[in-house]
Coordinates of all heavy atoms in Angstrom, one line a residue:
D1 N -0.2 -11.5 -13.1 CA 0.7 -12.4 -13.9 C 1.8 -11.5 -14.6 O 2.9 -12.0 -14.9 CB -0.1 -13.2 -14.9 CG -0.9 -14.2 -14.2 OD1 -0.5 -14.7 -13.2 OD2 -2.0 -14.6 -14.7
K2 N 1.5 -10.3 -15.0 CA 2.4 -9.5 -15.7 C 3.5 -8.9 -14.8 O 4.7 -9.0 -15.2 CB 1.6 -8.3 -16.4 CG 2.5 -7.4 -17.2 CD 1.7 -6.2 -17.8 CE 2.6 -5.3 -18.6 NZ 1.8 -4.2 -19.2
F3 N 3.2 -8.4 -13.7 CA 4.2 -7.8 -12.8 C 4.7 -8.7 -11.7 O 5.7 -8.4 -11.1 CB 3.6 -6.5 -12.2 CG 3.3 -5.4 -13.2 CD1 2.0 -5.2 -13.6 CD2 4.3 -4.6 -13.6 CE1 1.7 -4.2 -14.6 CE2 4.1 -3.6 -14.6 CZ 2.8 -3.4 -15.0
G4 N 4.0 -9.8 -11.5 CA 4.5 -10.8 -10.5 C 4.0 -10.5 -9.1 O 3.7 -9.3 -8.7
P5 N 4.0 -11.5 -8.2 CA 3.4 -11.3 -6.9 C 4.2 -10.4 -6.0 O 3.6 -9.7 -5.1 CB 3.4 -12.7 -6.3 CG 4.4 -13.5 -7.1 CD 4.4 -12.9 -8.5
R6 N 5.5 -10.3 -6.1 CA 6.3 -9.5 -5.2 C 6.0 -8.0 -5.4 O 5.7 -7.3 -4.4 CB 7.8 -9.7 -5.5 CG 8.7 -8.8 -4.7 CD 10.2 -9.0 -5.1 NE 10.6 -10.4 -5.1 CZ 11.4 -11.0 -5.9 NH1 12.0 -10.3 -6.9 NH2 11.7 -12.3 -5.8
M7 N 6.0 -7.5 -6.6 CA 5.8 -6.1 -6.8 C 4.3 -5.7 -6.4 O 4.1 -4.6 -5.8 CB 6.1 -5.7 -8.2 CG 7.6 -5.8 -8.6 SD 8.6 -4.9 -7.5 CE 8.1 -3.2 -7.8
V8 N 3.4 -6.5 -6.8 CA 2.0 -6.2 -6.5 C 1.7 -6.2 -5.0 O 1.1 -5.3 -4.5 CB 1.1 -7.2 -7.2 CG1 -0.4 -7.0 -6.8 CG2 1.2 -7.1 -8.7
S9 N 2.3 -7.1 -4.3 CA 2.1 -7.2 -2.9 C 2.7 -6.0 -2.1 O 2.2 -5.4 -1.2 CB 2.6 -8.5 -2.3 OG 2.3 -8.7 -0.9
I10 N 3.9 -5.6 -2.6 CA 4.6 -4.5 -2.0 C 3.8 -3.2 -2.2 O 3.7 -2.4 -1.3 CB 6.0 -4.3 -2.6 CG1 7.0 -5.4 -2.1 CG2 6.6 -3.0 -2.3 CD1 8.3 -5.5 -2.7
L11 N 3.3 -3.0 -3.4 CA 2.5 -1.8 -3.7 C 1.3 -1.8 -2.7 O 0.9 -0.8 -2.2 CB 2.0 -1.8 -5.1 CG 1.0 -0.7 -5.5 CD1 1.6 0.7 -5.3 CD2 0.6 -0.9 -7.0
G12 N 0.6 -3.0 -2.6 CA -0.6 -3.0 -1.7 C -0.2 -2.7 -0.3 O -0.9 -2.0 0.4
G13 N 1.0 -3.2 0.2 CA 1.4 -3.0 1.5 C 1.7 -1.5 1.8 O 1.4 -1.0 2.9
I14 N 2.3 -0.8 0.8 CA 2.6 0.6 1.0 C 1.3 1.4 1.1 O 1.1 2.3 2.0 CB 3.3 1.1 -0.3 CG1 4.8 0.6 -0.3 CG2 3.4 2.7 -0.3 CD1 5.5 0.8 -1.5
L15 N 0.3 1.1 0.3 CA -1.0 1.8 0.4 C -1.8 1.5 1.7 O -2.4 2.4 2.3 CB -1.9 1.4 -0.8 CG -1.4 2.0 -2.1 CD1 -2.3 1.5 -3.2 CD2 -1.4 3.5 -2.1
V16 N -1.7 0.2 2.2 CA -2.3 -0.1 3.5 C -1.7 0.7 4.6 O -2.4 1.3 5.4 CB -2.1 -1.6 3.8 CG1 -2.5 -1.9 5.2 CG2 -2.9 -2.5 2.8
G17 N -0.4 0.8 4.7 CA 0.3 1.5 5.7 C 0.0 3.0 5.6 O -0.4 3.6 6.7
I18 N 0.0 3.6 4.4 CA -0.3 5.0 4.3 C -1.7 5.3 4.7 O -2.0 6.3 5.3 CB 0.0 5.4 2.8 CG1 1.5 5.4 2.5 CG2 -0.6 6.8 2.5 CD1 1.9 5.7 1.1
G19 N -2.6 4.4 4.3 CA -4.0 4.7 4.6 C -4.3 4.7 6.1 O -5.0 5.6 6.6
W20 N -3.8 3.7 6.8 CA -3.9 3.7 8.3 C -3.3 5.0 8.9 O -3.9 5.6 9.8 CB -3.3 2.5 8.8 CG -4.2 1.3 8.8 CD1 -4.5 0.5 7.7 CD2 -4.9 0.7 9.9 NE1 -5.3 -0.5 8.1 CE2 -5.6 -0.4 9.4 CE3 -5.0 1.0 11.3 CZ2 -6.4 -1.2 10.2 CZ3 -5.8 0.2 12.1 CH2 -6.5 -0.9 11.5
I21 N -2.1 5.3 8.4 CA -1.4 6.5 9.0 C -2.2 7.8 8.8 O -2.4 8.6 9.7 CB 0.0 6.6 8.4 CG1 0.9 5.4 8.9 CG2 0.7 7.9 8.8 CD1 2.2 5.3 8.2
L22 N -2.7 7.9 7.5 CA -3.5 9.1 7.2 C -4.8 9.2 8.1 O -5.2 10.3 8.5 CB -3.8 9.2 5.7 CG -2.6 9.5 4.8 CD1 -3.1 9.5 3.4 CD2 -2.0 10.8 5.2
A23 N -5.4 8.0 8.3 CA -6.6 8.0 9.1 C -6.3 8.5 10.5 O -7.2 9.1 11.2 CB -7.1 6.5 9.2
G24 N -5.1 8.3 10.9 CA -4.7 8.8 12.3 C -4.6 10.3 12.4 O -4.4 10.8 13.5
F25 N -4.7 11.0 11.3 CA -4.6 12.5 11.3 C -6.0 13.0 10.9 O -6.1 14.2 10.6 CB -3.6 13.0 10.3 CG -2.2 12.7 10.7 CD1 -1.5 11.6 10.2 CD2 -1.5 13.5 11.6 CE1 -0.2 11.3 10.6 CE2 -0.2 13.2 12.0 CZ 0.4 12.1 11.5
S26 N -7.0 12.2 11.0 CA -8.4 12.7 10.7 C -8.9 13.7 11.7 O -8.6 13.6 12.9 CB -9.4 11.5 10.6 OG -8.9 10.5 9.7
N27 N -9.8 14.6 11.2 CA -10.5 15.5 12.0 C -12.0 15.3 11.9 O -12.8 16.2 12.3 CB -10.1 16.9 11.8 CG -10.4 17.4 10.4 OD1 -10.9 16.6 9.6 ND2 -9.9 18.6 10.0

């Protein structure tokens, strides 16, 4: 409610993408 749905969803999307990409460099 404080930051609004747009900013919160964008932040979540950035972390989702980064997490999947980093998983792709796992050893």
Side-chain angles (χ1 to χ4, degrees):
D1 291 329
K2 180 179 180 180
F3 293 100
R6 178 185 304 149
M7 294 305 299
V8 175
S9 187
I10 287 175
L11 174 61
I14 291 172
L15 291 176
V16 169
I18 291 174
W20 276 77
I21 293 168
L22 289 179
F25 291 96
S26 300
N27 59 6

